[in-house]
Amino acid sequence: MRISKAPAEVLASLAELQVAAGQVFRDVGMPEVAQNNVDMADLEARQAAGQVWIGEYEGRIAGFVTASVVDGYAHIEQVSCVPDLAGQGIGRRLMEHVEVAGRHRGMSATTLTTYRDVPWNAPYYRRLGYRALSLHEVGPELQHILSAEAAYPGIDATKRCAMIKPNPPRS
């Protein structure tokens, strides 16, 4: 898989990909989450800031990740993969890309927010080396993200958590 910065002309396709990838939330009783629309202005701003990467596999976009810096850590905002390529390691590779980029910028860890019990969320991220943060470990910017997410349709804040993965120092 080849990972590169997302060009502006693919943003509409990424929005469609995110909506398609989110349909699996229907299977776990979260239809409102599956219906959430993509904020195109936010996606465009992130792309303009160089915070969106695409993964291309077999000549097509297979997934994408958006990331930023939150509380001094690399932060994975969104990772989505084409549904028919689920389980191929595409999301993991995109996340690793953010982790490595953060490490190269001197960031000691990568964070994300997610659902505690959805199988492809926190349980999966634990297998990738992430751990849930306790309330006192959540920095102010990350707390702001969790609070903003709680306002989205279908989001139950009690089922969300922030997670962190240490970035080993550059060798």
Side-chain angles (χ1 to χ4, degrees):
M1 185 174 75
R2 184 175 81 93
I3 298 175
S4 60
K5 291 211 174 185
E9 60 268 14
V10 303
L11 295 181
S13 296
L14 298 185
E16 291 173 11
L17 188 160
Q18 183 176 333
V19 170
Q23 296 311 301
V24 294
F25 283 98
R26 293 182 189 284
D27 298 338
V28 292
M30 298 178 169
E32 300 92 349
V33 175
Q35 294 168 1
N36 284 343
N37 291 322
V38 176
D39 181 340
M40 285 305 295
D42 181 64
L43 187 59
E44 290 165 357
R46 289 188 183 286
Q47 184 274 333
Q51 299 174 332
V52 183
W53 293 269
I54 56 173
E56 294 176 278
Y57 178 74
E58 295 184 349
R60 67 177 175 144
I61 295 175
F64 77 98
V65 64
T66 63
S68 61
V69 177
V70 173
D71 295 321
Y73 301 125
H75 181 74
I76 296 169
E77 300 279 349
Q78 176 69 39
V79 61
S80 294
C81 300
V82 173
D84 67 315
L85 294 174
Q88 303 295 313
I90 292 162
R92 177 185 47 78
R93 294 267 319 276
L94 289 164
M95 292 174 68
E96 287 171 353
H97 180 80
V98 173
E99 294 164 5
V100 169
R103 183 171 46 250
H104 284 259
R105 292 183 60 199
M107 296 174 198
S108 62
T110 303
T111 60
L112 55 83
T113 61
T114 193
Y115 288 100
R116 294 179 190 283
D117 300 320
V118 174
W120 61 89
N121 280 194
Y124 173 70
Y125 301 139
R126 276 193 291 278
R127 291 193 298 274
L128 298 182
Y130 286 80
R131 70 167 178 84
L133 290 166
S134 65
L135 287 177
H136 76 275
E137 292 178 292
V138 176
E141 294 172 342
L142 195 52
Q143 182 57 56
H144 178 77
I145 290 169
L146 285 166
S147 296
E149 290 172 349
Y152 297 159
I155 302 284
D156 179 349
T158 66
K159 295 181 179 185
R160 302 280 295 166
C161 69
M163 300 185 84
I164 192 166
K165 179 180 181 181
N167 288 334
R170 289 171 37 181
S171 52

mmCIF file of all heavy atoms in Angstrom, residues 115-143:
data_model
loop_
_atom_site.group_PDB
_atom_site.id
_atom_site.type_symbol
_atom_site.label_atom_id
_atom_site.label_comp_id
_atom_site.label_asym_id
_atom_site.label_seq_id
_atom_site.Cartn_x
_atom_site.Cartn_y
_atom_site.Cartn_z
ATOM 1 N N TYR A 115 -14.897 4.305 20.683
ATOM 2 C CA TYR A 115 -15.877 3.599 21.498
ATOM 3 C C TYR A 115 -15.184 2.498 22.287
ATOM 4 O O TYR A 115 -14.370 1.747 21.736
ATOM 5 C CB TYR A 115 -16.967 2.973 20.615
ATOM 6 C CG TYR A 115 -17.891 3.997 20.041
ATOM 7 C CD1 TYR A 115 -17.726 4.443 18.737
ATOM 8 C CD2 TYR A 115 -18.908 4.544 20.815
ATOM 9 C CE1 TYR A 115 -18.561 5.408 18.212
ATOM 10 C CE2 TYR A 115 -19.748 5.511 20.292
ATOM 11 C CZ TYR A 115 -19.566 5.939 18.993
ATOM 12 O OH TYR A 115 -20.382 6.900 18.480
ATOM 13 N N ARG A 116 -15.538 2.383 23.556
ATOM 14 C CA ARG A 116 -14.925 1.386 24.439
ATOM 15 C C ARG A 116 -15.181 -0.050 23.996
ATOM 16 O O ARG A 116 -14.296 -0.891 24.086
ATOM 17 C CB ARG A 116 -15.469 1.532 25.862
ATOM 18 C CG ARG A 116 -15.115 2.787 26.556
ATOM 19 C CD ARG A 116 -15.743 2.817 27.958
ATOM 20 N NE ARG A 116 -15.604 4.121 28.547
ATOM 21 C CZ ARG A 116 -14.502 4.593 29.083
ATOM 22 N NH1 ARG A 116 -13.423 3.846 29.101
ATOM 23 N NH2 ARG A 116 -14.461 5.806 29.585
ATOM 24 N N ASP A 117 -16.409 -0.352 23.565
ATOM 25 C CA ASP A 117 -16.814 -1.746 23.388
ATOM 26 C C ASP A 117 -17.081 -2.176 21.951
ATOM 27 O O ASP A 117 -17.380 -3.341 21.720
ATOM 28 C CB ASP A 117 -18.060 -2.029 24.238
ATOM 29 C CG ASP A 117 -17.797 -1.792 25.715
ATOM 30 O OD1 ASP A 117 -16.694 -2.148 26.177
ATOM 31 O OD2 ASP A 117 -18.670 -1.246 26.403
ATOM 32 N N VAL A 118 -17.000 -1.270 20.994
ATOM 33 C CA VAL A 118 -17.203 -1.666 19.603
ATOM 34 C C VAL A 118 -15.966 -2.462 19.180
ATOM 35 O O VAL A 118 -14.847 -1.973 19.320
ATOM 36 C CB VAL A 118 -17.422 -0.428 18.705
ATOM 37 C CG1 VAL A 118 -17.492 -0.826 17.246
ATOM 38 C CG2 VAL A 118 -18.701 0.308 19.122
ATOM 39 N N PRO A 119 -16.152 -3.699 18.700
ATOM 40 C CA PRO A 119 -15.000 -4.589 18.453
ATOM 41 C C PRO A 119 -13.889 -4.003 17.593
ATOM 42 O O PRO A 119 -12.715 -4.273 17.837
ATOM 43 C CB PRO A 119 -15.632 -5.799 17.769
ATOM 44 C CG PRO A 119 -17.060 -5.785 18.189
ATOM 45 C CD PRO A 119 -17.421 -4.341 18.378
ATOM 46 N N TRP A 120 -14.215 -3.218 16.586
ATOM 47 C CA TRP A 120 -13.179 -2.660 15.715
ATOM 48 C C TRP A 120 -12.690 -1.303 16.225
ATOM 49 O O TRP A 120 -11.944 -0.620 15.543
ATOM 50 C CB TRP A 120 -13.663 -2.556 14.267
ATOM 51 C CG TRP A 120 -14.858 -1.659 14.104
ATOM 52 C CD1 TRP A 120 -14.837 -0.317 13.872
ATOM 53 C CD2 TRP A 120 -16.231 -2.026 14.191
ATOM 54 N NE1 TRP A 120 -16.116 0.169 13.812
ATOM 55 C CE2 TRP A 120 -17.002 -0.865 14.002
ATOM 56 C CE3 TRP A 120 -16.900 -3.248 14.410
ATOM 57 C CZ2 TRP A 120 -18.388 -0.867 14.026
ATOM 58 C CZ3 TRP A 120 -18.274 -3.243 14.428
ATOM 59 C CH2 TRP A 120 -19.004 -2.068 14.238
ATOM 60 N N ASN A 121 -13.068 -0.932 17.425
ATOM 61 C CA ASN A 121 -12.598 0.310 18.044
ATOM 62 C C ASN A 121 -11.647 -0.044 19.190
ATOM 63 O O ASN A 121 -10.603 -0.637 18.947
ATOM 64 C CB ASN A 121 -13.768 1.163 18.496
ATOM 65 C CG ASN A 121 -14.430 1.974 17.377
ATOM 66 O OD1 ASN A 121 -15.202 2.867 17.642
ATOM 67 N ND2 ASN A 121 -14.132 1.700 16.121
ATOM 68 N N ALA A 122 -11.952 0.340 20.428
ATOM 69 C CA ALA A 122 -10.996 0.185 21.533
ATOM 70 C C ALA A 122 -10.407 -1.223 21.647
ATOM 71 O O ALA A 122 -9.186 -1.353 21.823
ATOM 72 C CB ALA A 122 -11.624 0.627 22.847
ATOM 73 N N PRO A 123 -11.198 -2.302 21.546
ATOM 74 C CA PRO A 123 -10.564 -3.627 21.641
ATOM 75 C C PRO A 123 -9.493 -3.845 20.561
ATOM 76 O O PRO A 123 -8.430 -4.412 20.842
ATOM 77 C CB PRO A 123 -11.741 -4.594 21.473
ATOM 78 C CG PRO A 123 -12.930 -3.816 21.953
ATOM 79 C CD PRO A 123 -12.661 -2.397 21.495
ATOM 80 N N TYR A 124 -9.757 -3.364 19.363
ATOM 81 C CA TYR A 124 -8.784 -3.480 18.281
ATOM 82 C C TYR A 124 -7.562 -2.604 18.562
ATOM 83 O O TYR A 124 -6.411 -3.044 18.410
ATOM 84 C CB TYR A 124 -9.429 -3.089 16.946
ATOM 85 C CG TYR A 124 -8.452 -3.028 15.798
ATOM 86 C CD1 TYR A 124 -7.889 -4.190 15.280
ATOM 87 C CD2 TYR A 124 -8.083 -1.811 15.249
ATOM 88 C CE1 TYR A 124 -6.978 -4.136 14.229
ATOM 89 C CE2 TYR A 124 -7.183 -1.757 14.198
ATOM 90 C CZ TYR A 124 -6.628 -2.915 13.693
ATOM 91 O OH TYR A 124 -5.727 -2.857 12.674
ATOM 92 N N TYR A 125 -7.788 -1.364 18.986
ATOM 93 C CA TYR A 125 -6.678 -0.453 19.239
ATOM 94 C C TYR A 125 -5.791 -0.953 20.379
ATOM 95 O O TYR A 125 -4.579 -0.742 20.354
ATOM 96 C CB TYR A 125 -7.184 0.967 19.509
ATOM 97 C CG TYR A 125 -7.985 1.537 18.359
ATOM 98 C CD1 TYR A 125 -9.138 2.276 18.583
ATOM 99 C CD2 TYR A 125 -7.598 1.330 17.034
ATOM 100 C CE1 TYR A 125 -9.878 2.794 17.535
ATOM 101 C CE2 TYR A 125 -8.333 1.841 15.976
ATOM 102 C CZ TYR A 125 -9.469 2.569 16.236
ATOM 103 O OH TYR A 125 -10.201 3.074 15.188
ATOM 104 N N ARG A 126 -6.390 -1.641 21.359
ATOM 105 C CA ARG A 126 -5.567 -2.252 22.418
ATOM 106 C C ARG A 126 -4.590 -3.257 21.823
ATOM 107 O O ARG A 126 -3.436 -3.332 22.234
ATOM 108 C CB ARG A 126 -6.447 -2.920 23.475
ATOM 109 C CG ARG A 126 -6.960 -1.948 24.529
ATOM 110 C CD ARG A 126 -7.559 -2.658 25.734
ATOM 111 N NE ARG A 126 -8.798 -3.344 25.447
ATOM 112 C CZ ARG A 126 -9.990 -2.759 25.397
ATOM 113 N NH1 ARG A 126 -10.110 -1.464 25.615
ATOM 114 N NH2 ARG A 126 -11.070 -3.459 25.140
ATOM 115 N N ARG A 127 -5.054 -4.027 20.854
ATOM 116 C CA ARG A 127 -4.156 -4.996 20.202
ATOM 117 C C ARG A 127 -3.034 -4.299 19.446
ATOM 118 O O ARG A 127 -1.974 -4.899 19.222
ATOM 119 C CB ARG A 127 -4.959 -5.908 19.267
ATOM 120 C CG ARG A 127 -5.890 -6.855 20.020
ATOM 121 C CD ARG A 127 -6.446 -7.950 19.134
ATOM 122 N NE ARG A 127 -7.256 -7.492 18.034
ATOM 123 C CZ ARG A 127 -8.558 -7.230 18.082
ATOM 124 N NH1 ARG A 127 -9.218 -7.375 19.228
ATOM 125 N NH2 ARG A 127 -9.213 -6.834 17.010
ATOM 126 N N LEU A 128 -3.244 -3.043 19.074
ATOM 127 C CA LEU A 128 -2.204 -2.278 18.370
ATOM 128 C C LEU A 128 -1.276 -1.535 19.337
ATOM 129 O O LEU A 128 -0.380 -0.818 18.904
ATOM 130 C CB LEU A 128 -2.840 -1.273 17.407
ATOM 131 C CG LEU A 128 -3.684 -1.855 16.277
ATOM 132 C CD1 LEU A 128 -4.214 -0.745 15.379
ATOM 133 C CD2 LEU A 128 -2.896 -2.871 15.462
ATOM 134 N N GLY A 129 -1.505 -1.694 20.645
ATOM 135 C CA GLY A 129 -0.624 -1.072 21.636
ATOM 136 C C GLY A 129 -1.165 0.160 22.323
ATOM 137 O O GLY A 129 -0.457 0.791 23.109
ATOM 138 N N TYR A 130 -2.412 0.518 22.058
ATOM 139 C CA TYR A 130 -3.026 1.672 22.721
ATOM 140 C C TYR A 130 -3.620 1.230 24.050
ATOM 141 O O TYR A 130 -4.010 0.076 24.217
ATOM 142 C CB TYR A 130 -4.136 2.271 21.840
ATOM 143 C CG TYR A 130 -3.610 3.041 20.658
ATOM 144 C CD1 TYR A 130 -3.176 2.382 19.513
ATOM 145 C CD2 TYR A 130 -3.527 4.424 20.692
ATOM 146 C CE1 TYR A 130 -2.670 3.077 18.427
ATOM 147 C CE2 TYR A 130 -3.028 5.128 19.605
ATOM 148 C CZ TYR A 130 -2.594 4.444 18.486
ATOM 149 O OH TYR A 130 -2.099 5.137 17.412
ATOM 150 N N ARG A 131 -3.707 2.168 24.986
ATOM 151 C CA ARG A 131 -4.391 1.913 26.250
ATOM 152 C C ARG A 131 -5.318 3.082 26.542
ATOM 153 O O ARG A 131 -5.069 4.220 26.101
ATOM 154 C CB ARG A 131 -3.407 1.716 27.394
ATOM 155 C CG ARG A 131 -2.672 2.960 27.798
ATOM 156 C CD ARG A 131 -1.936 2.795 29.134
ATOM 157 N NE ARG A 131 -1.215 4.013 29.456
ATOM 158 C CZ ARG A 131 -1.744 5.078 30.049
ATOM 159 N NH1 ARG A 131 -3.025 5.096 30.401
ATOM 160 N NH2 ARG A 131 -1.017 6.146 30.303
ATOM 161 N N ALA A 132 -6.395 2.794 27.260
ATOM 162 C CA ALA A 132 -7.349 3.843 27.618
ATOM 163 C C ALA A 132 -6.713 4.782 28.635
ATOM 164 O O ALA A 132 -5.996 4.341 29.544
ATOM 165 C CB ALA A 132 -8.624 3.234 28.182
ATOM 166 N N LEU A 133 -6.965 6.056 28.474
ATOM 167 C CA LEU A 133 -6.510 7.053 29.424
ATOM 168 C C LEU A 133 -7.515 7.188 30.554
ATOM 169 O O LEU A 133 -8.727 7.175 30.310
ATOM 170 C CB LEU A 133 -6.348 8.416 28.739
ATOM 171 C CG LEU A 133 -5.205 8.550 27.744
ATOM 172 C CD1 LEU A 133 -5.370 9.816 26.909
ATOM 173 C CD2 LEU A 133 -3.875 8.555 28.465
ATOM 174 N N SER A 134 -7.032 7.346 31.769
ATOM 175 C CA SER A 134 -7.929 7.647 32.881
ATOM 176 C C SER A 134 -8.344 9.112 32.757
ATOM 177 O O SER A 134 -7.704 9.896 32.037
ATOM 178 C CB SER A 134 -7.228 7.391 34.210
ATOM 179 O OG SER A 134 -6.137 8.286 34.362
ATOM 180 N N LEU A 135 -9.389 9.494 33.462
ATOM 181 C CA LEU A 135 -9.894 10.866 33.361
ATOM 182 C C LEU A 135 -8.822 11.897 33.693
ATOM 183 O O LEU A 135 -8.720 12.926 33.030
ATOM 184 C CB LEU A 135 -11.104 11.059 34.276
ATOM 185 C CG LEU A 135 -12.397 10.386 33.809
ATOM 186 C CD1 LEU A 135 -13.499 10.597 34.825
ATOM 187 C CD2 LEU A 135 -12.809 10.908 32.444
ATOM 188 N N HIS A 136 -7.998 11.630 34.704
ATOM 189 C CA HIS A 136 -6.986 12.625 35.082
ATOM 190 C C HIS A 136 -5.824 12.693 34.093
ATOM 191 O O HIS A 136 -5.047 13.631 34.125
ATOM 192 C CB HIS A 136 -6.487 12.378 36.514
ATOM 193 C CG HIS A 136 -5.534 11.242 36.658
ATOM 194 N ND1 HIS A 136 -5.948 9.951 36.809
ATOM 195 C CD2 HIS A 136 -4.178 11.222 36.653
ATOM 196 C CE1 HIS A 136 -4.890 9.168 36.896
ATOM 197 N NE2 HIS A 136 -3.800 9.898 36.813
ATOM 198 N N GLU A 137 -5.710 11.726 33.191
ATOM 199 C CA GLU A 137 -4.657 11.744 32.179
ATOM 200 C C GLU A 137 -5.070 12.488 30.904
ATOM 201 O O GLU A 137 -4.215 12.801 30.082
ATOM 202 C CB GLU A 137 -4.274 10.316 31.777
ATOM 203 C CG GLU A 137 -3.586 9.516 32.851
ATOM 204 C CD GLU A 137 -3.304 8.110 32.365
ATOM 205 O OE1 GLU A 137 -4.275 7.342 32.161
ATOM 206 O OE2 GLU A 137 -2.117 7.785 32.188
ATOM 207 N N VAL A 138 -6.341 12.733 30.732
ATOM 208 C CA VAL A 138 -6.836 13.388 29.520
ATOM 209 C C VAL A 138 -6.518 14.879 29.587
ATOM 210 O O VAL A 138 -6.947 15.571 30.515
ATOM 211 C CB VAL A 138 -8.355 13.154 29.350
ATOM 212 C CG1 VAL A 138 -8.896 13.923 28.154
ATOM 213 C CG2 VAL A 138 -8.646 11.672 29.205
ATOM 214 N N GLY A 139 -5.739 15.351 28.606
ATOM 215 C CA GLY A 139 -5.372 16.764 28.555
ATOM 216 C C GLY A 139 -6.550 17.637 28.158
ATOM 217 O O GLY A 139 -7.598 17.143 27.707
ATOM 218 N N PRO A 140 -6.405 18.951 28.289
ATOM 219 C CA PRO A 140 -7.531 19.863 28.023
ATOM 220 C C PRO A 140 -8.004 19.839 26.576
ATOM 221 O O PRO A 140 -9.217 19.923 26.334
ATOM 222 C CB PRO A 140 -6.979 21.236 28.411
ATOM 223 C CG PRO A 140 -5.490 21.086 28.427
ATOM 224 C CD PRO A 140 -5.209 19.651 28.746
ATOM 225 N N GLU A 141 -7.099 19.737 25.619
ATOM 226 C CA GLU A 141 -7.524 19.709 24.219
ATOM 227 C C GLU A 141 -8.252 18.410 23.898
ATOM 228 O O GLU A 141 -9.262 18.415 23.187
ATOM 229 C CB GLU A 141 -6.317 19.891 23.291
ATOM 230 C CG GLU A 141 -5.681 21.252 23.411
ATOM 231 C CD GLU A 141 -4.381 21.372 22.630
ATOM 232 O OE1 GLU A 141 -3.765 20.358 22.257
ATOM 233 O OE2 GLU A 141 -3.977 22.519 22.392
ATOM 234 N N LEU A 142 -7.757 17.314 24.434
ATOM 235 C CA LEU A 142 -8.410 16.021 24.208
ATOM 236 C C LEU A 142 -9.777 15.991 24.894
ATOM 237 O O LEU A 142 -10.744 15.465 24.341
ATOM 238 C CB LEU A 142 -7.508 14.892 24.702
ATOM 239 C CG LEU A 142 -7.844 13.478 24.253
ATOM 240 C CD1 LEU A 142 -7.994 13.369 22.748
ATOM 241 C CD2 LEU A 142 -6.772 12.505 24.752
ATOM 242 N N GLN A 143 -9.882 16.596 26.065
ATOM 243 C CA GLN A 143 -11.176 16.680 26.751
ATOM 244 C C GLN A 143 -12.160 17.488 25.928
ATOM 245 O O GLN A 143 -13.336 17.137 25.828
ATOM 246 C CB GLN A 143 -11.017 17.298 28.143
ATOM 247 C CG GLN A 143 -12.321 17.370 28.915
ATOM 248 C CD GLN A 143 -12.993 16.018 29.074
ATOM 249 O OE1 GLN A 143 -12.411 15.078 29.582
ATOM 250 N NE2 GLN A 143 -14.226 15.892 28.611
#
